[in-house]
Amino acid sequence: MTLFVVWKIANKKQDASGLAAFKCAIKRPPRDRAFSWEREVEKYFHREVWADTNASSHLGQRFRIADDGEGIAAAYTHARMADQPGFTPPAGEQTRLLVMLGIAVRHRGQGGKFADEVLLDALYDILDSEPDSATINVLAKVHMHNVPSQKMLTRAGFQQNTAGTATKPLGWWSLTLER
């Protein structure tokens, strides 16, 4: 069964209270705490996304949410790549970073079907955001222990370019979209 959601560009005036209630970090025993990367994503959507989206407007940052009638079911942001250490975009191609993607706790642990739909919406939105580019490179950073997100990216055709390490736990993943 497919979950029915309504996607839209987030609006601070209309969506701030819903976003404040958005829970995407699952608390686990024995310490009743979520994994660090889940807490970071939730914190980003609770405290940082509005300022980040405004500060990155020159990079075409977009912030979209899905409402399932119970509240925000998913959220993501993406933007053109700013200068990153060790990264040079290919000449003549646009590169976008999938900044953050979160799935509400109530839709997690179901084999990734909804997560795949959320990522697909993000990829279509990335294409829509770069109408003059025939090729768009999409990059994502994922914590080395975040296996569900790694599986989601793999199912969508992303390749891992750089694995996370103990000192730099975020690995780089990429996918090339062509029209």
Side-chain angles (χ1 to χ4, degrees):
M1 182 173 137
T2 300
L3 176 66
F4 179 77
V5 297
V6 176
W7 282 101
K8 68 176 191 169
I9 298 286
N11 175 294
K12 188 173 185 178
K13 190 177 232 183
Q14 297 171 350
D15 302 314
S17 64
L19 198 60
F22 179 56
K23 298 289 180 206
C24 61
I26 299 173
K27 292 183 178 179
R28 294 174 171 81
R31 295 187 308 169
D32 199 33
R33 290 186 57 168
F35 292 127
S36 62
W37 60 87
E38 290 179 345
R39 292 192 313 270
E40 286 298 314
V41 171
E42 191 171 275
K43 179 178 126 187
Y44 177 82
F45 285 118
H46 286 178
R47 300 182 194 159
E48 301 165 20
V49 69
W50 301 114
D52 188 39
T53 300
N54 289 337
S56 299
S57 62
H58 68 287
L59 300 172
Q61 182 155 326
R62 299 193 28 151
F63 172 28
R64 284 177 50 91
I65 58 174
D67 189 305
D68 64 359
E70 293 181 43
I72 295 176
Y76 64 80
T77 64
H78 61 83
R80 270 183 228 106
M81 280 292 287
D83 293 331
Q84 294 280 332
F87 175 77
T88 304
E93 296 181 3
Q94 196 55 258
T95 301
R96 292 191 73 88
L97 175 65
L98 184 57
V99 178
M100 289 282 176
L101 185 148
I103 307 293
V105 169
R106 65 185 174 277
H107 299 299
R108 305 249 325 258
Q110 300 171 15
K113 185 171 176 15
F114 183 58
D116 292 348
E117 292 175 17
V118 172
L119 180 57
L120 184 62
D121 187 88
L123 295 174
Y124 276 112
D125 195 59
I126 286 169
L127 282 169
D128 288 347
S129 69
E130 300 293 348
D132 298 328
S133 298
T135 301
I136 304 164
N137 298 296
V138 182
L139 298 177
K141 294 192 278 186
V142 178
H143 192 281
M144 61 192 247
H145 297 303
N146 187 348
V147 175
S149 289
Q150 293 173 18
K151 287 181 178 180
M152 173 189 67
L153 293 176
T154 300
R155 288 190 302 269
F158 279 76
Q159 299 292 315
Q160 186 176 38
N161 300 96
T162 306
T165 66
T167 57
K168 292 184 179 182
L170 297 178
W172 284 95
W173 292 69
S174 66
L175 174 70
T176 300
L177 300 175
E178 295 179 353
R179 294 185 198 275

